Amino acid sequence: MIKKKKLKPSKELPSGFEDRQEKVLLIRDFVISNIKEVMIKYGFQYLETPSFEYTDSIGKFLPDKDRPGEGVFSFKDDNKWLSLRYDLTAPLARYVAKNFNEIPKPFKRYQLGTVWRNEKPGPGRYREFLQFDADYVGTKNLQADAELCILISEILEKCGLDKADYTVKISSRKFTDKLFEKLKIKSKYKISTALRALDKIDRLGWEEVRKLLGEGRKDKSGDYTEGANLKKDQIKLIENALDNKMSDSEDVLEIIKIFEAYNFKNYKFDPSVIRGLEYYTGPIFEVNLNFEVKNLKGKTIQFGSIGGGGRYDSLVSNFGNLDCPATGISIGLDRLVFALMQKKDFNIKVVRPLIICVFDKSKTKEYVEILNKLREADISSEIYPGEGKLKKQMEYANKIESPFVIFYGDDEIKKNEVKLRNLKTGEESSIKIENLVDEIKKII
RNA sequence: GCACGGGUAGCUCAGUUGGUUAGAGCAGCGGUUUGUGGAACCGAAGGUCGACAGUUCGAAUCUGUCCCCGUGUACCA
C-alpha cells in the first residue's frame, strides 16, 4: 500500500466571508427591530425575494465573458445563468415589473436580506453581508426622496446615535451633468473617470484628486492610475463649483425645501457624492458616520459610508415598456453594527442557562423533574449536557457564563431540597424544591 | 488586476551565518480530594514548517513556480 497524504478539508473561510457570533447578532437584531418599527410607522410593506435571480435580470450581461457579470457569484443551471443577488434594488425592479398590474402605485416596500459581491474584500468590506433597503416605486414626487433620508435618520437615532454622529449627504446626478456640460466635456470616458475621481475627495483630498482629474496618480505602493486628462482650467472650475456648497440643481433645491417642511436639518449638500455610475438618474444620497472607527487591531480606519441610495427612474423600464420612476436607499447592516458597537455600550443581556449537575446518570428522572419546573417557568436551564466529573461540569458552567449551578445529589434528594451555587460570587444556599422557582425568579 | 508584506502545533508567535530527534505561551486532554469552576502546580499529547520542483552531504532557513492570507491601490451595476 502506498501511503497517501490525507487531504484534510480546509478550516479556513473563503476570503470575504465571516462567522458571526452571538453578541454581534443580538445587536444586529436590535437594529433590525428598530428598522421594522420605523418602516411600519412610515407605511412600508415587507417583502422578500429569493437569493438567486437569473443573471440577466440582476445586472448587465457581459456577452464576451465566459462567466457572466464579474462581481457576482454565478453558476449555470439547465443552460441558464443564475446569480446570487448583489443588491436588493435590482430584484425589486424585477418584482415590480412582474407584478406590475397588481401592486399599488406608488408602491412602498422594505426588505432585509443577504447580498453577495464577488469582489476583493477589504477592511470592513465583505463578500456576504446583510442589507436593508427601502424604496418608493412609481412616483416622481421628490417627497419620497426626502422621506427616505428622514427615515434613515430616525433609524440611526433609534439605534443610539446623536445628530452629531452622522450626516445625510445629498446631491444630484444632474448637478454634475450640468457642470460637465458647462465645461464642454463630452467624452464619456473623461466624464466617468472624472466622476470616479471626485468620489474620492473624502478619502484622498483635493491634492490627489486633482492628479486624477489631470494626468494621473501614483499611490504609495507604486501603483499608477490613469487620469481623466482634463485641462488645468477645467479642473480649477470643477474645484470651485464643488467648493461652493450651494446647489443650482432644481431637484436638490426642492428636496431641501421639503426637509424644511419636515423640520429635518441633519443633511448636507455635497456634490462629491457620486455613488456608482450606472443607474442613478437624479438625486443621490449617502449616509456617513462622523466618529472614528477602529479595526480589530485598534487602528483607526477610513470607514466610508454606511449606506446610501438615490433615484433610478429607468431601472424598472429595463424589464419592459413600463414607465416607472423609483427611488430608494439602503444600509449595510453589518458595517453599521460594527460601528455602533464602538460608539455605544450595548448592555445586551445574553441569557445563559442554569445548569443542573449530574452526579449519577441513574437519577435522570429526578433531574428532569427539577428541569421541567424551571423550563415551565421560562427559566433558561439545562441538565449538564456533556459527560464527566463535577469539576468538568463546573468548568463548563464557568465557560458559558451560566449564572447558577444546581446540585441535586443524594444528600439533597433526601432532604427534598437543592443546593444553588452562584457562579459569580461562589455563594451557596439550600432551597426547598417547592420554593425553587420563586426563589430563582427573585435573584435572576 | 497591480504593488508591498506574510504562511511554523487548535490560537499567537520564536527559530540565530543552511547542521542531528523543530521551540514557547495560551487553549485542549489527564492529574494534584472521583460532591464544587474562574488561580497555581505536575504530566502526557499535539507539526511531512502553505504546495510542488531545484541547489546542497544536509533545507523551516537559499532559488523558481503556484496556492492562500493581510495591507494599499484600481474596479464595484
Side-chain angles (χ1 to χ4, degrees), chain A residues 122-276:
Chain A
R125 297 192 73 185
Y126 299 109
R127 299 208 288 183
E128 175 184 65
F129 52 96
L130 225 211
Q131 206 173 54
F132 157 69
D133 217 273
D135 295 79
Y136 282 79
V137 179
T139 178
K140 284 188 170 150
N141 190 337
L142 293 178
Q143 187 177 316
D145 304 66
E147 273 211 349
L148 289 172
C149 297
I150 292 165
L151 112 214
I152 287 288
S153 305
E154 189 162 339
I155 289 168
L156 293 178
E157 288 179 28
K158 246 188 149 98
C159 290
L161 293 185
D162 295 330
K163 292 205 189 317
D165 292 333
Y166 71 95
T167 308
V168 178
K169 294 179 175 177
I170 70 162
S171 182
S172 173
R173 186 51 35 88
K174 285 175 184 154
F175 177 87
T176 39
D177 286 352
K178 228 177 180 175
L179 179 61
F180 289 127
E181 201 180 313
K182 225 188 285 172
L183 295 174
K184 298 202 167 67
I185 299 166
K186 282 178 189 149
S187 144
K188 267 199 170 163
Y189 170 80
K190 282 191 177 179
I191 288 175
S192 64
T193 309
L195 283 174
R196 282 197 301 268
L198 295 178
D199 201 21
K200 290 170 187 130
I201 292 171
D202 273 355
R203 186 158 48 85
L204 301 177
W206 264 110
E207 193 157 327
E208 300 301 313
V209 169
R210 253 178 247 134
K211 290 180 196 164
L212 287 170
L213 289 172
E215 287 171 9
R217 168 179 181 264
K218 206 190 233 177
D219 69 54
K220 66 181 171 189
S221 69
D223 196 21
Y224 184 77
T225 309
E226 183 69 30
N229 282 309
L230 302 184
K231 289 176 201 136
K232 276 206 174 129
D233 54 320
Q234 287 176 318
I235 295 173
K236 189 99 198 202
L237 287 167
I238 291 174
E239 198 174 336
N240 289 343
L242 264 72
D243 272 347
N244 175 12
K245 299 284 184 197
M246 288 294 293
S247 177
D248 62 348
S249 176
E250 280 166 30
D251 49 4
V252 172
L253 294 173
E254 191 177 335
I255 288 175
I256 289 174
K257 240 190 217 160
I258 299 168
F259 282 162
E260 280 164 10
Y262 276 77
N263 198 27
F264 175 71
K265 298 194 171 86
N266 209 11
Y267 70 88
K268 204 168 105 194
F269 167 65
D270 185 341
S272 71
V273 172
I274 307 292
R275 297 200 66 78

Side-chain angles (χ1 to χ4, degrees), chain A residues 72 150 195 331 391:
Chain A
V72 299
I150 292 165
L195 283 174
I331 300 182
K391 181 186 161 107

